[in-house]
Amino acid sequence: MDEALLRSLTPGVLGILVRRGADFAAAEDAVQDALVEAVRVWPDDPPRDPKGWLVTAAWRKFLDATRAEMARRRREDRVDEEPAPGPAATVDDTLQLYFLCAHPSLSPSAAVALTLRAVGGLTTRQIAQAHLVPEATMAQRISRAKRTVSNVRFDQPGDVATVLRVLYLVFNEGYSGDVDLAAEAIRLTRQLAAVIDHPEVAGLLALMLLHQARRASRTAPDGSLIPLAEQDRGRWDTVAIAEGVEILQAALARDRLGEFQAQAAVAALHADARTAEETDWVQIVEWYDELVRLTDSPVVRLNRAVAVGEADGPHAGLAELATLNDSLPRHTAAAAYLHERAGAPVTAARLYTEAAQKAPNLPERNYLTAQAARLNTATRN
């Protein structure tokens, strides 16, 4: 079963159902049911037209659900509207769906969560981790968002800022998570940049390109993580870097600084350094200062603390880290790294072990465990 194919078809099928008159929540449920049916049927009987098959199956699921509710809700009988099997029109509705999910009736946080789940393809667990909340809390947030939009007309698209936030989170999950969504996020952001002249859209596209440029060097052949300082910079995609820098410079020249432009500036400084030792950490700290001003994000403050540790020494970084809540994701890993640089290998080894237990994924857990083992071996010898 080609899960990537199913994932790529889902937004288009969902868009067709919404255009045919299905409310969003019911359409999403129908598409999910059709996907389950595809997983069961396709391995033994693959369709000639996968999208047409999914459209027909999802519409049937929607009609079945509508019939079940007909007596109570007195809905109009839609049986005759069932589409005939056959090739479906090739229309990319994905970006439009992102805007529709960012409906004005939803708060920005609810719109982001709903879009990530319904269109972005992320699980509730992945969305909860991205928002630093418990999975149960996020499940409730998504359910409330579905109820809110279940009876509204999708004729008022949401704002660009919410859509950018969703694209950013989808890219991050695709870049470092269980499902590869990074290329799709870049594709959609390119589409958005082509129709909206906004420096933050350009900033986000530049940020994605600069991160994607070093993707091939982030992991070893066995899947283990390679930290930025140890990556083979000869494997970085210089074409993508050049494009990202050019887009960023044009956006910054408009003097309307935003969060994504500032993040892209940090990524550009890393990409510009021929070696890890040549990294301009002082300027990176200055950009993190801008990010703190723009977002006041605890995660940004954590990254700034690590950058201060590189620019002004590990003790300065630890002092900054001490001002932050130690429950922040990767706080313990940052503390371990700075303690190691400060010449405290025993403390660093203990913290690496603690950080490994909190790691959100297996490659990160394995990397932190290996760091702890390396320091423990060195202190015993």
Side-chain angles (χ1 to χ4, degrees):
M1 173 56 58
D2 190 345
E3 295 183 5
L5 173 62
L6 286 176
R7 186 174 299 281
S8 68
L9 293 175
T10 298
V13 176
L14 182 59
I16 289 173
L17 264 64
V18 171
R19 289 202 307 273
R20 290 179 186 271
D23 67 75
F24 188 87
E28 187 203 10
D29 290 340
V31 172
Q32 294 299 323
D33 289 341
L35 292 174
V36 171
E37 185 74 6
V39 171
R40 185 181 68 82
V41 172
W42 287 12
D44 297 323
D45 186 21
R48 289 191 298 271
D49 177 21
K51 185 175 182 179
W53 190 100
L54 282 174
V55 170
T56 300
W59 188 252
R60 286 173 176 161
K61 297 290 185 183
F62 168 72
L63 290 180
D64 288 343
T66 301
R67 294 189 194 103
E69 294 289 329
M70 192 177 299
R72 182 170 66 86
R73 298 194 177 192
R74 297 181 180 178
R75 287 184 172 176
E76 182 178 348
D77 187 357
R78 299 176 180 175
V79 175
D80 295 334
E81 297 179 14
E82 179 180 337
T90 303
V91 179
D92 187 356
D93 299 308
T94 309
L95 191 58
Q96 180 185 8
L97 284 172
Y98 271 69
F99 274 94
L100 293 179
C101 284
H103 196 272
S105 64
L106 295 172
S107 67
S109 61
V112 168
L114 177 63
T115 314
L116 289 172
R117 182 70 187 92
V119 188
L122 272 63
T123 65
T124 303
R125 175 182 59 82
Q126 290 169 325
I127 301 169
Q129 289 176 345
H131 285 79
L132 309 181
V133 299
E135 183 174 349
T137 301
M138 183 53 65
Q140 292 174 354
R141 184 178 299 175
I142 294 172
S143 295
R144 286 196 299 269
K146 288 182 179 179
R147 288 195 298 270
T148 299
V149 301
S150 62
N151 294 314
V152 301
R153 290 183 59 82
F154 279 84
D155 54 3
Q156 292 181 277
D159 65 350
V160 175
T162 300
V163 174
L164 289 179
R165 175 63 50 191
V166 174
L167 289 169
Y168 175 63
L169 292 173
V170 169
F171 176 82
N172 279 346
E173 190 59 43
Y175 189 67
S176 61
D178 303 326
V179 180
D180 185 357
L181 298 170
E184 174 68 358
I186 291 175
R187 184 183 72 84
L188 292 172
T189 306
R190 284 191 186 279
Q191 286 186 6
L192 188 58
V195 296
I196 296 180
D197 183 21
H198 192 292
E200 273 295 82
V201 177
L204 178 59
L205 179 57
L207 175 63
M208 290 179 174
L209 290 170
L210 288 165
H211 279 307
Q212 187 79 341
R214 60 183 184 87
R215 186 173 188 180
S217 65
R218 292 184 72 249
T219 55
D222 62 0
S224 59
L225 289 181
I226 302 176
L228 176 60
E230 299 173 18
Q231 289 174 14
D232 179 1
R233 300 184 180 221
R235 299 185 64 197
W236 289 3
D237 185 343
T238 55
V239 174
I241 290 173
E243 182 185 6
V245 169
E246 181 179 0
I247 292 171
L248 173 62
Q249 288 175 340
L252 291 175
R254 301 176 65 175
D255 199 23
R256 291 167 55 193
L257 183 63
E259 172 187 356
F260 295 120
Q261 295 169 74
Q263 288 193 55
V266 171
L269 285 167
H270 283 299
D272 187 54
R274 291 177 298 177
T275 65
E277 293 73 23
E278 294 179 54
T279 304
D280 189 345
W281 286 105
V282 173
Q283 194 172 169
I284 287 176
V285 171
E286 292 174 355
W287 278 111
Y288 274 126
D289 288 338
E290 292 290 346
L291 273 169
V292 169
R293 181 181 62 81
L294 290 165
T295 69
D296 197 29
S297 163
V299 174
V300 170
R301 291 182 180 275
L302 177 66
N303 291 334
R304 180 186 179 278
V306 175
V308 168
E310 299 287 357
D312 300 330
H315 293 290
L318 287 169
E320 293 288 339
L321 202 62
T323 66
L324 303 176
N325 190 324
D326 60 9
S327 66
L328 276 172
R330 298 184 173 88
H331 184 285
T332 308
Y337 171 73
L338 291 171
H339 274 289
E340 179 182 358
R341 289 202 57 227
V346 174
T347 301
R350 175 179 57 79
L351 290 171
Y352 275 128
T353 300
E354 292 179 14
Q357 296 169 354
K358 304 174 184 177
N361 54 65
L362 184 60
E364 191 169 333
R365 185 180 310 131
N366 289 342
Y367 171 76
L368 293 168
T369 300
Q371 295 299 98
R374 172 179 59 80
L375 289 179
N376 283 328
T377 298
T379 53
R380 284 196 298 267
N381 294 337

